[in-house]
Amino acid sequence: MKCKTLHKNLIFFLEGELPAKEMEAIKSHLSDCEVCAAFAEEMKKTLKIINEEKSPEVNPFFYTRLKVRLESQVEPKKISIWQPVLIKAVQPTFFSLLLLAGIYGGFKIASPVRVNMASTEITNNEIIPYLNEMQSEPIEDFLME
């Protein structure tokens, strides 16, 4: 028997699911081949660990602790049918109003300032001439003197 064939059938051999003729062939190969015998030993250990983990020990107090925990849980409050509908309707309405208030505030900030026309006439006629003396006489006259 080849090692590759043994590796394919090793799990079935270890679980005892092969016909007697193949079981004898694998036993004789394992007695002759040290590499396959070591591999089979490792496989036995692995299967033993897997079988132990399949059936863990049950804690005897598990059921009582679970029962107490289930009994101590508080029943959830009953939610009215309208509450989710109100939440779904109020939230978008609030944010829409907030958006509209922001847009209105933006237009109010950006609107031009209204100026009293009487005060601009006073500024043009009385204050600006004092600030700009050079406008009344040309620069050539100033430099010639």
Side-chain angles (χ1 to χ4, degrees):
M1 174 177 280
K2 293 183 180 180
C3 294
K4 190 173 185 179
T5 308
L6 177 107
H7 289 273
K8 287 181 183 178
N9 295 326
L10 187 60
I11 291 178
F12 301 115
F13 169 75
L14 294 174
E15 291 180 353
E17 297 177 359
L18 290 176
K21 183 179 178 183
E22 288 183 33
M23 293 282 272
E24 289 298 323
I26 291 176
K27 282 181 186 178
S28 67
H29 181 81
L30 289 176
S31 63
D32 295 337
C33 182
E34 292 180 16
V35 176
C36 290
F39 182 70
E41 195 62 37
E42 287 295 320
M43 188 65 74
K44 277 183 191 176
K45 290 178 185 177
T46 305
L47 288 176
K48 182 181 176 186
I49 292 171
I50 291 172
N51 286 331
E52 287 174 0
E53 292 296 321
K54 279 184 183 176
S55 57
E57 293 181 24
V58 178
N59 190 340
F61 301 108
F62 175 76
Y63 176 72
T64 55
R65 284 187 286 173
L66 180 65
K67 184 178 177 185
V68 168
R69 183 181 279 177
L70 288 174
E71 289 173 354
S72 67
Q73 284 184 345
V74 178
E75 289 186 27
K77 295 180 182 178
K78 292 183 179 180
I79 299 173
S80 69
I81 296 172
W82 294 105
Q83 189 175 7
V85 173
L86 288 175
I87 290 172
K88 289 180 181 178
V90 170
Q91 186 179 16
T93 305
F94 172 74
F95 284 115
S96 298
L97 290 174
L98 187 65
L99 178 66
L100 289 174
I103 292 171
Y104 176 74
F107 279 124
K108 288 304 263 184
I109 290 172
S111 66
V113 178
R114 299 181 193 263
V115 179
N116 187 359
M117 294 305 287
S119 67
T120 57
E121 288 179 20
I122 292 172
T123 306
N124 286 339
N125 295 337
E126 295 178 6
I127 299 174
I128 290 180
Y130 292 113
L131 294 175
N132 192 2
E133 294 176 353
M134 297 301 283
Q135 187 178 18
S136 62
E137 51 189 67
I139 194 149
E140 293 89 14
D141 292 341
F142 176 75
L143 290 173
M144 297 282 273
E145 291 180 3

